[in-house]
Amino acid sequence: MSDLKSQINPGKVPKHIAIIMDGNGRWAKQKGMPRVLGHRSGVKSVREVTEAAAQIGVKYLTLYAFSTENWNRPPAEVTALMSLLVETIKGEIRDLNKNGVRLMAIGDIEALPPSTLKTLREGIEKTKDNDRVTLVLALNYSAKWEILCATRRLAEQVKMGALQPFEISEAIFEHELSTHGIPDPELLIRTSGEARLSNFLLWQVAYTELYFTPVFWPDFDRKELFKAILSYQNRERRFGMISEQLP
Ligand code: FPP
């Protein structure tokens, strides 16, 4: 394991890694356990991956913790996930502060249950001065929703005469996204063998390297994170150019 870590080029560590944490339910089923225990084990992976990411110099980690589509799950599972979030944030604040982790959220968080929203806001407020790594939780998040919100805000500005349609550039558009101020992820990881983006950060991943692994999220540990980073470091990112043009 330390061997994997030593193979990582410290000068090419992604600044921002986004993760679709998938497979908690299947992990639990395989073990004959209720799905919610899969989510509980998933929290352990969140902790381990956050710590490992901070140690190697990742500055932003965005985790897809609850999509807008997840409301369609059985109500008992939704309730369990919301309680797990509250319990986790409350239980982790001290360690987040000890490790210099700033908590942030993206998504339509106003629609979360009041107790979840309250705990989330407290977590964000109590960690706001940390600057080692920013942990962005995507909660009630949908990329299409985010893009529509940005579009509506720009349309309002045009209607008021504050902006001309031809002035809408990528930079102006990005300014209206919930990830404003956060660099686009260089690496996106999805666990559990699925190879989809599932409405996650669609604008932001335009040039992101995608890494799919069959490992279920509760089994995704620091070693798996290092493997993903090594795979990323071995790729050539050309951004539309040819190899010879690269530095
Ligand atoms: C996907 O597995 C996982 C989720 C929808 C929830 C992820 C939540 C956690 C890891 C716990 C809370 C997180 C934080 C940040 C405190 P799945 O249920 O879709 O698994 P399946 O595809 O095997 O059914």
Side-chain angles (χ1 to χ4, degrees), residues 20-29 35 38-47 63-67 70 73 77 81 84-89 92 103 135-139 190-192 194 196 216-218:
I20 302 178
M21 312 179 285
D22 201 2
N24 294 346
R26 277 163 288 161
W27 180 90
K29 197 173 170 198
R35 290 177 59 83
H39 297 312
R40 281 199 173 271
S41 287
V43 172
K44 276 196 228 141
S45 299
V46 170
R47 193 180 299 121
L63 304 180
Y64 209 177
F66 195 86
S67 74
N70 286 153
R73 294 195 170 200
E77 183 170 339
L81 273 169
L84 188 57
L85 259 167
V86 169
E87 187 188 315
T88 306
I89 295 173
E92 296 290 330
L103 196 62
L135 180 64
V136 184
L137 297 183
L139 285 166
R190 183 171 189 152
T191 58
S192 90
E194 309 289 345
R196 287 187 297 279
F216 290 145
W217 177 248

Side-chain angles (χ1 to χ4, degrees), residues 10 20 57 62 81 88 107 182-183 187 230:
I20 302 178
T62 300
L81 273 169
T88 306
I182 300 177
L187 173 64
L230 284 168

Side-chain angles (χ1 to χ4, degrees), residues 30-102:
Q30 250 186 8
K31 295 186 152 34
M33 297 183 338
R35 290 177 59 83
V36 63
L37 285 190
H39 297 312
R40 281 199 173 271
S41 287
V43 172
K44 276 196 228 141
S45 299
V46 170
R47 193 180 299 121
E48 180 163 338
V49 166
T50 307
E51 277 176 21
Q55 279 166 15
I56 59 167
V58 173
K59 299 306 287 180
Y60 298 90
L61 190 62
T62 300
L63 304 180
Y64 209 177
F66 195 86
S67 74
T68 309
E69 292 78 19
N70 286 153
W71 293 114
N72 298 322
R73 294 195 170 200
E77 183 170 339
V78 172
T79 308
L81 273 169
M82 290 299 149
S83 317
L84 188 57
L85 259 167
V86 169
E87 187 188 315
T88 306
I89 295 173
K90 281 192 176 154
E92 296 290 330
I93 296 231
R94 260 178 57 160
D95 275 3
L96 290 174
N97 279 329
K98 211 168 74 195
N99 288 308
V101 184
R102 173 172 65 138

Side-chain angles (χ1 to χ4, degrees), residues 113-158:
S115 61
T116 310
L117 183 59
K118 183 169 173 276
T119 307
L120 181 66
R121 288 219 165 107
E122 279 167 12
I124 293 170
E125 174 60 28
K126 287 182 181 157
T127 60
K128 70 177 188 320
D129 296 324
N130 298 334
D131 60 2
R132 187 155 166 243
V133 60
T134 300
L135 180 64
V136 184
L137 297 183
L139 285 166
N140 195 19
Y141 176 86
S142 139
K144 287 189 175 181
W145 164 84
E146 178 184 41
I147 290 169
L148 283 175
C149 288
T151 308
R152 285 189 200 123
R153 275 197 289 271
L154 290 172
E156 281 296 331
Q157 291 177 39
V158 170

